[in-house]
Amino acid sequence: MKVSYKWLKEFIDTNLSPKEIADKLTMAGIEIATCTSLDKGIRNVVTAEVKEVNPHPNADKLVFCRVFNGKETLDIVCGAKNFKAGDKVALAQVGAILPGGKEITAAEIRGQRSFGMMCSERELELSDSHGGIMILPPETPLGVDINTILELDDYILEAEPTPNRGDALSILGLARELAAVLNQKVKLPQAKVKEPLDKVERFVTVEIKDPDLCPRYTARYMMNVTVKPSPLWMQNRLRNCGLRPINNVVDITNYVLLELGHPLHAFDATLLEDEKIIVRRAKEGEEIVTLDGVQRKLNAKMLVIADAKKPVALAGIMGGELSSVKEKTTAVVLESAYFNPVSIRKTAKSIGLNTDASYRFERGVDIENMVLALNRIAQLIQDLAGGQAAKGIVDIYPQKIKQPKITVRQERVNKVLGVPISFAHTKRILKSLGFMFTENTGTESLHVVVPSWRNDITREIDVIEEIAEINGYEEIPATLPQGHTIKTGSNKEWEHKHNTVAYMQQTGFTEIISYSFIGEKDYANIGQPVEGDQFIKIANPLTEDAAIMRTTLVCGLLNNIVWNINHGNNQIKIFEQGRVFLGKGKDTYANEINMLGLAVCGIKKADIFYIKGVISGLLWSRGIENVEFKSGNDPLFHPVLCLEVSGNGEKLGIFGCLAPKIRNRYGLEQEVYLGELDLAKLLALSAERRHYQPIPKLPGIKRDLALLLPQSVPHEMVLKTLREMASTLVKEISLFDVYEGEKVEAGHKSYAYTLLYQADDRTLQDEEVNRLHTELVSKVASQLNARVR
């Protein structure tokens, strides 16, 4: 929220500089992100009046003007034609400096001397509008520095309060906080309304049908209103605080919103059927065209403001176009209400519409401040739009909301803060913050009533936090923490994840973290339709690209690869460990599975065997035995270059070369090798302790074995059979050749293995090894129906 320094000083007497105020508020718990001067470096630009507008004698697209600056009349050549004699303008005189350092000099333009320039809003960097000269209000005095007229001799503080501090989203809220720090009083704006008309009930009636969503609604009626542009001072303040001036009535509602923090709305009274306002839930399928011109379909969970026949506003979010204040409006109904924060937040998210009003209602406004805000807007309309008010206000408040009462113990305050402060000082701070309280006789404790504007305070610790902020965090001495250490057991899951990350990083991979939400487009890119209960869709996603809980890490890996390549990084080795979410149905929680995803692209040595080596090393490092790799079948991967990995007979994951059609969808020219592993299964199979053996001291003997087998028999089957039938003296079995060709019969292939025979207690002799090897070859050949080559 942007706040004018000069405007803030109207609520509190202080000589502090903008920077000092920013520091005070930040230390009190309301962060001031920036403190920016509005001075744009404009010099010698003054207000002036156009006296004459004549055609340029030598140029059809230019005009020759006589402009009076309060002291003298100057000749000015201008290209714009949106003004006339009598208009007030911003005149940059000879020697003037514009934003960016541009200096204005006298010049001859098509034979006519020009002694200055009439400025547009864009040339003064007030807006991007370049549709012509900036026209000032008729009452603007002449010869006054434009910085003064436009209030550019000011500073803007940008406040970023935490979401629970809705009370800080106004000039009044920041003034209250600053007053507490400085031990001063806040000066509230005047809100005196003249009421020459009959009682308000004659002109408008209000009914609340859903008090759970609208506990209180107040309204005023005004007639003989003249809709016109706001005075320049109001336009300046709105513009400086980031709001666009529209007309005096609408601008006044926005002005009071910034001033008091309460969203308000004005209806054209003549457009309300039967002069009724009904606060109710929308009917299922009911529609309304909001002020932004969008037709919106509503449901029965949304709250609307309606007249006798139709909805005229989305409660707390945006008014309807049909009942809006227009140039010909003369009678208005003014609304000041309190709406349920949860209801407003859900409706705003559901329809994708966030406004200044909804932003404040979502965080909670002051229900006891409604009448002040309503009277303030009525008083300003009387002053600036000539309106006449009906006598009294409509105030529907079925059940008064009681403010929380909290017991605050001085002993507890000192213990939490770690520094002693007096009971009297505590009472002073609470009083300065607007808390009402009574003392408990005989004890240093208080019964505290929370102010109506502090919806965030519900417990004693919340009150203590306020005391700490106003007393000053800098008053709390820096000390080392003390306490006893607690011995805890090991967390196997954490250690497993930590060791997995460490291994991947040692292997040269970089860890990435992707969003858990992805979109249907991501699934379309990997060729997976979003069908079935396993997909969990977000009810109100922020964007279409974050509408589904991910069921795979692949999308995040591929998107990261594309981003890196687009930014000039073509050699990529990345991994991610994170959860995927698989639905179980409508009424059950999701199944969250910890997965490991890895991907390689653009590395010279990258192929399926490289990925296999990385995965093999990971499984070995975790002590997983009986690891097997076999051909896989997944449309994500190349039909040939795809392997499944298992340990102790349980599938752990799949990896391979990304299918060409999927690679093309991502616009990738290089091959991508990637895979996913189930970390939970890896943890279940991991050995708690690694058992190491000394390096053998005695030599071993190697024997080769070549088997001719049908092509349908995979290497994994042969290897498994060899391991099961081999003697305990066989320490290693490695495949060193696979042959298919002319020298073997059709439909067959040859596997060649090297076997290492080794004993720990003796040196093996050839005779023993030959006997064992012959027995093994015979058993394996018989089991697999193979021929020995």
Side-chain angles (χ1 to χ4, degrees), residues 223-286:
M223 63 186 300
N224 297 327
V225 173
T226 302
V227 177
K228 59 184 179 180
S230 299
L232 189 60
W233 64 266
M234 179 171 283
Q235 293 187 39
N236 291 336
R237 286 195 169 179
L238 292 176
R239 190 182 289 112
N240 292 342
C241 292
L243 296 181
R244 179 175 61 88
I246 298 173
N247 61 52
N248 54 355
V249 176
V250 175
D251 291 351
I252 289 168
T253 64
N254 288 330
Y255 184 88
V256 178
L257 168 74
L258 295 174
E259 186 178 59
L260 302 181
H262 200 99
L264 302 139
H265 188 66
F267 300 98
D268 187 322
T270 63
L271 300 176
L272 297 176
E273 294 284 347
D274 298 339
E275 294 83 35
K276 281 187 177 181
I277 284 185
I278 303 171
V279 187
R280 60 171 173 81
R281 282 180 167 87
K283 299 172 185 176
E284 194 68 38
E286 199 168 26

Side-chain angles (χ1 to χ4, degrees), residues 56-57 62-67 73-80 83 91-96 103-119 133:
H56 192 290
L62 300 176
V63 290
F64 179 70
C65 307
R66 302 275 290 165
V67 183
T73 302
L74 303 173
D75 294 339
I76 305 292
V77 176
C78 182
F83 59 92
L91 176 64
Q93 305 173 110
V94 173
E103 183 175 355
I104 301 300
T105 59
E108 184 171 318
I109 303 174
R110 301 296 293 270
Q112 292 290 332
R113 295 285 291 173
S114 181
F115 297 91
M117 181 180 76
M118 292 185 288
C119 302
I133 298 305

